[in-house]
Amino acid sequence: MRCEWASSPFLLDREDMRDTMKLFMEPESVAIIGATRKNGPGTYNLVENMLRFGYRGKVFPVNPQADEILGLRAYSSIRDIGQAVDLTVINLPRDLVLKGIRECAAVGVRAVIVVGQGFADADKTGQTLQSEMVSIAKESGMRILGPNTLGVLNAFHPFTTSFMPLSREAAPVGVICQSGIFFVGAGRFSGMMGKGIDVGNACDIGFNEALSYLGDDPDTRVIAIHMEGLSHGREFVALAARVSRKKPVVIFKTGRSEAGARAAASHSGTIAGSYRVYQAALTQAGCTLITEDSKMRDAVRALLLLPPMRGNRVAVITVTGAGGIITTDALERYGLTLASLSSKTLAPVSELSPPWMPLGNPLDIWPAVMKHGMQKVYPPALKALLDDPAVDAVLCINVALNLPDYAFLDVSEALNQAVSGDKPVVVWLYGENSQGIGEKIEKEGKIIPFQTLEGAAWALSALRERQAYLEKISGS
Amino acid sequence: MRCEWASSPFLLDREDMRDTMKLFMEPESVAIIGATRKNGPGTYNLVENMLRFGYRGKVFPVNPQADEILGLRAYSSIRDIGQAVDLTVINLPRDLVLKGIRECAAVGVRAVIVVGQGFADADKTGQTLQSEMVSIAKESGMRILGPNTLGVLNAFHPFTTSFMPLSREAAPVGVICQSGIFFVGAGRFSGMMGKGIDVGNACDIGFNEALSYLGDDPDTRVIAIHMEGLSHGREFVALAARVSRKKPVVIFKTGRSEAGARAAASHSGTIAGSYRVYQAALTQAGCTLITEDSKMRDAVRALLLLPPMRGNRVAVITVTGAGGIITTDALERYGLTLASLSSKTLAPVSELSPPWMPLGNPLDIWPAVMKHGMQKVYPPALKALLDDPAVDAVLCINVALNLPDYAFLDVSEALNQAVSGDKPVVVWLYGENSQGIGEKIEKEGKIIPFQTLEGAAWALSALRERQAYLEKISGS
């Protein structure tokens, strides 16, 4: 088979591509060239971290100065291992990397991760080293992930090449990124991560290979991408369009500003500018594009956990008129509208409200709550909104006091009982126990609490955009 | 003295205004017309809540059906109290409020809070009731806060009229709002609150009176305003300009969208539209205008806790190149620039970095950290940035692992030691212990950690705008 190069999956057989990526993501055996003899915190010992993460395959540390590393036999060279190895990780200073690559090529290694920095992300010498690395690999049919990467993480088939300690959670979110920050700081970005591919400088394996793998991966239901530079953009757009038919693809392109683009060029050695060309195309391809760091998590959680939003009409149920107004501003900013609520829908609240209370959307239930108590008002009010065919999603604004005595204001149970899963429901809480009540609500996995009203409105808009795309392509 | 009416502080003597607001904020005695006999959670008993909050003044519950409320003698009418009362709170159904107001007028009450809803926020009848209430008050020289309000909160001279339980923290942040959500949900908005004035429907006491009070209040160092409608805008702008010379004024105007404006009209019965006219004027007057719910807290904390930002040049110190790029995008979006770092400033990091590492701003210290450890690199790197006259603020991106073994990556101590207080320093943390390390950093009160890079960049821009305003008006 002739191996077409660098991020051109469409020239490759897809089966073959999947087999290649499996070597990186689910290797049965792994060699580590440059495995350190030291271990413990601060040594960033890859082998130690891999074992700690739960890897159960064969591990071959390579270090000519060691006989044994962490109880494993150490080899002085990859040539000495004497058996085929699925994946080789090279963790050497940049001056030694080419030698390592050549040795890998010599023994027929097919998949290599180059961890270290100092290549296209650094100086001219580094650029040259990276080019040479690619040439050697190309000749031998070997594929390279990196350099300048934490490598991969797979919580399903426990494996990681990260030298930073990571926790393992088999979450159906796959991450493709150009920095370890998205592995270590997953909580800040994708929120959760079950599989991760850090393409680093993307000298060979790039966004196309990674997206192709996660797109076909049955463990992955949402894909979150951090992108500094994009090469082979045309192919990427076509691939994203294919993948996004099956699962949401969220893209956080950074280096959008002029200064940011310059910084990106020196961080991962990639060209940021070309993305602008593909921006509209990616939206048309059904991807969710984000521009602020806080929004990836909001979008990923909504797309993963909430049912489709079949129109753009939102009902807001609130214990505070002011909160309803803040929400209305945010919804309008994101292209959503307030549902027109029929008198039938308003009936359960209007029966319990003082006669002077003007009811509409946002639906302010507070006067009714003052008269009849939260537990009598909330469940029928919410049910009526969910039953209304003119409502496509419900946004709930609830108070969360940090006083055990005030548990009667806590509607998390009523909320979880009312939600059947055919319309998205999101919650925003205020008060000192927002986190506690939020966790209680989220535990059931049916409703998502958001930190900000802005975030909740944005997440609903991402959900709506996604559904509109699916409707468009299915011609409905 | 002739009493000019409704939000016209410039026609009033300022001393007189302050005396009036003191009756609301620091009363030595308070009567509650409509004090409920029930107490405990769910009864929303104002008197109970006031005592629980720590009020030490005289309390006169008024309820013709009770002899005693919470151990206090109850009066059947305000006429029976037989002594002057600083403030009277009317907590009656709307049909009984006018009677209450008339009784207050008859005994010469000077300050009244009307808690209940159902006035200009409701129907035509409510509008009429509100007008009549104002007429009676006007004739008698009485001032009204509300209706439709939680009233006031004062953590310094412990007092509140809120029927919702609130915690008390003598924080130097004063809040003016049109909804109890800003009292109960202070954590979500202003972050902290030492004094609060909920103007509700603002039938009489409005933004001008409240701002005038907090502007002169020595306990208040930052003022956060939630505004649905603005009447007497011209006076408000002039007053805001005067106050903002002394302390920051942050304004969150809601009901900015068309649908939001309609909702505001029915929530607090105020006209939202006129604000647009004053938007530019308020910025020119040195106010910080925000448009998203999450940003009030960021702005308030920065303006309260950080030193002035004397230019718009930011240095970013980071353990991740990708984080630096995300930050660069955000800084540029908010009108800030990356400082040009001299080789002298870069020297401490360049001496410890591999020779191939391109150093600049953002300053990526990770390769140096890998070689020499965090504690050897961080303090001199940060010190050099703070010492550089071309740097006006420093944004730090740090990792926060949730592993006791990895405490050597925690730079909170080094950070707090390095910061002298002449330049603002903000931090963004990623990793599973972001909250823990963040709290440790914040405890010293010198550096603020932010939840998002977006928020950190925005807060610095608010700080810079503030300082630019102060420089402009002082002619420097």
Side-chain angles (χ1 to χ4, degrees), chain B residues 247-263:
Chain B
K247 48 185 99 173
V249 177
V250 180
I251 302 178
F252 183 20
K253 171 64 176 66
T254 69
R256 293 183 313 280
S257 66
E258 215 176 291
R262 276 196 304 276

Side-chain angles (χ1 to χ4, degrees), chain B residues 225-246:
Chain B
I225 300 178
H226 158 251
M227 184 183 274
E228 287 182 357
L230 175 61
S231 53
H232 300 89
R234 196 180 291 268
E235 290 88 341
F236 181 79
V237 170
L239 175 59
R242 202 184 73 211
V243 171
S244 78
R245 288 174 170 255
K246 290 185 292 182

Side-chain angles (χ1 to χ4, degrees), chain B residues 345-417:
Chain B
T345 299
L346 295 173
V349 177
S350 77
E351 280 159 19
L352 300 171
S353 295
W356 46 257
M357 181 64 193
L359 294 174
N361 186 13
L363 180 56
D364 184 349
I365 61 170
W366 186 250
V369 168
M370 285 287 277
K371 278 182 83 172
H372 301 280
M374 185 67 93
Q375 304 303 333
K376 195 164 170 203
V377 178
Y378 205 83
L382 180 63
K383 189 178 180 306
L385 294 178
L386 288 167
D387 286 348
D388 189 332
V391 170
D392 300 306
V394 179
L395 191 154
C396 308
I397 298 178
N398 295 335
V399 63
L401 299 183
N402 199 16
L403 298 165
D405 283 355
Y406 277 77
F408 60 88
L409 287 179
D410 174 7
V411 291
S412 37
E413 224 161 285
L415 251 168
N416 269 317
Q417 272 167 21

Side-chain angles (χ1 to χ4, degrees), chain A residues 41-42 44 52 94 117-118 121-123 163-165 167 179 181-182 184-185 188-189 226 228 252-260 263-264 266-267 291-294 320-323 325-326 328-329 332-333 338 356-358 362 364 366-367 369-370 399 401 403 405-406 408-409 428-432 434-435 450-454, chain B residues 41-42 44 52 94 117-118 121-123 163-165 167 179 181-182 184-185 188-189 226 228 252-260 263-264 266-267 291-294 320-323 325-326 328-329 332-333 338 356-358 362 364 366-367 369-370 399 401 403 405-406 408-409 428-432 434-435 450-454:
Chain A
Y44 308 107
R52 179 180 182 158
R94 72 170 190 178
Q117 297 181 252
D121 51 292
D123 53 4
F163 58 77
M164 293 293 280
S167 58
S179 165
I181 194 176
F182 288 82
V184 180
R188 289 283 196 222
F189 294 106
H226 159 250
E228 287 182 357
F252 182 22
K253 172 63 176 68
T254 68
R256 295 183 312 281
S257 65
E258 215 176 291
S266 88
H267 174 241
T291 53
E292 292 175 24
D293 56 320
S294 64
T320 143
I325 294 161
I326 297 169
T328 303
D329 285 345
E332 190 167 297
R333 197 167 334 127
L338 289 172
W356 46 257
M357 181 64 193
D364 185 349
W366 186 250
V369 168
M370 285 287 278
V399 63
L401 299 184
L403 299 164
D405 284 356
Y406 277 77
F408 61 89
L409 287 179
W428 179 79
L429 296 153
Y430 66 96
E432 288 168 1
S434 299
Q435 199 178 336
F450 285 87
Q451 291 288 315
T452 64
L453 280 168
E454 189 74 19
Chain B
Y44 307 108
R52 181 181 182 156
R94 72 170 189 177
Q117 296 181 255
D121 51 292
D123 55 3
F163 57 77
M164 295 292 280
S167 58
S179 165
I181 195 175
F182 288 83
V184 180
R188 289 283 197 220
F189 294 106
H226 158 251
E228 287 182 357
F252 183 20
K253 171 64 176 66
T254 69
R256 293 183 313 280
S257 66
E258 215 176 291
S266 88
H267 175 241
T291 54
E292 293 175 23
D293 55 320
S294 63
T320 145
I325 294 161
I326 298 169
T328 302
D329 285 345
E332 188 167 296
R333 198 166 334 126
L338 289 172
W356 46 257
M357 181 64 193
D364 184 349
W366 186 250
V369 168
M370 285 287 277
V399 63
L401 299 183
L403 298 165
D405 283 355
Y406 277 77
F408 60 88
L409 287 179
W428 179 79
L429 295 153
Y430 66 97
E432 289 167 1
S434 299
Q435 200 178 335
F450 286 87
Q451 291 289 315
T452 63
L453 281 168
E454 190 74 19

Side-chain angles (χ1 to χ4, degrees), chain B residues 8-69:
Chain B
S8 309
F10 298 93
L11 306 176
L12 272 173
D13 178 67
R14 269 178 74 192
E15 285 287 328
D16 191 69
M17 163 86 83
R18 201 173 312 140
D19 288 349
T20 299
M21 288 306 297
K22 272 187 95 162
L23 295 176
F24 287 96
M25 297 300 290
E26 308 163 29
E28 287 180 11
S29 53
V30 57
I32 299 96
I33 302 182
T36 171
R37 283 175 297 171
K38 292 181 220 153
N39 58 281
T43 60
Y44 307 108
N45 186 327
L46 249 162
V47 178
E48 185 182 19
N49 216 42
M50 191 180 285
L51 300 174
R52 181 181 182 156
F53 195 76
Y55 182 56
R56 299 267 169 274
K58 283 185 246 173
V59 181
F60 304 102
V62 177
N63 181 334
Q65 264 99 56
D67 294 326
E68 198 189 281
I69 286 178

